[in-house]
Amino acid sequence: AYVVVRGVWGEKMSQELHQYATRRLSPHKVPVDFIVIDELPRNPTGKVERRLLRAREQARVAADEVAHAARAS
């Protein structure tokens, strides 16, 4: 899940957010991890640009795969 944080993000806040989600959501909807971003990308009408979030996630996964491959070599 993408999270916009006003303040300091740390392990404690991540755990608290995960616990909150666990209490409030069905088990299959609880995020596995939280990705902190400065702001949500929005279109001119103010709606969240989910397509840009998906593109950001794909780029992050690709970068992780490249880093993993480099460490394995």
Side-chain angles (χ1 to χ4, degrees):
Y2 289 96
V3 181
V4 178
V5 178
R6 290 179 176 79
V8 179
W9 177 260
E11 185 62 30
K12 182 179 178 186
M13 186 180 284
S14 176
Q15 290 173 351
E16 289 174 1
L17 188 55
H18 188 269
Q19 289 171 355
Y20 178 80
T22 301
R23 287 191 309 267
R24 305 277 300 197
L25 299 172
S26 298
H28 70 279
K29 290 189 175 188
V30 175
V32 174
D33 62 352
F34 298 98
I35 301 166
V36 178
I37 57 177
D38 295 330
E39 63 182 358
L40 293 171
R42 297 188 181 272
N43 67 16
T45 61
K47 294 181 180 179
V48 174
E49 289 274 4
R50 293 180 185 172
R51 146 183 84 77
L52 295 176
L53 290 174
R54 280 191 294 272
R56 177 181 280 188
E57 178 63 15
Q58 289 172 348
R60 186 178 73 90
V61 168
D64 287 349
E65 288 175 354
V66 168
H68 180 69
R71 284 191 299 262
S73 301

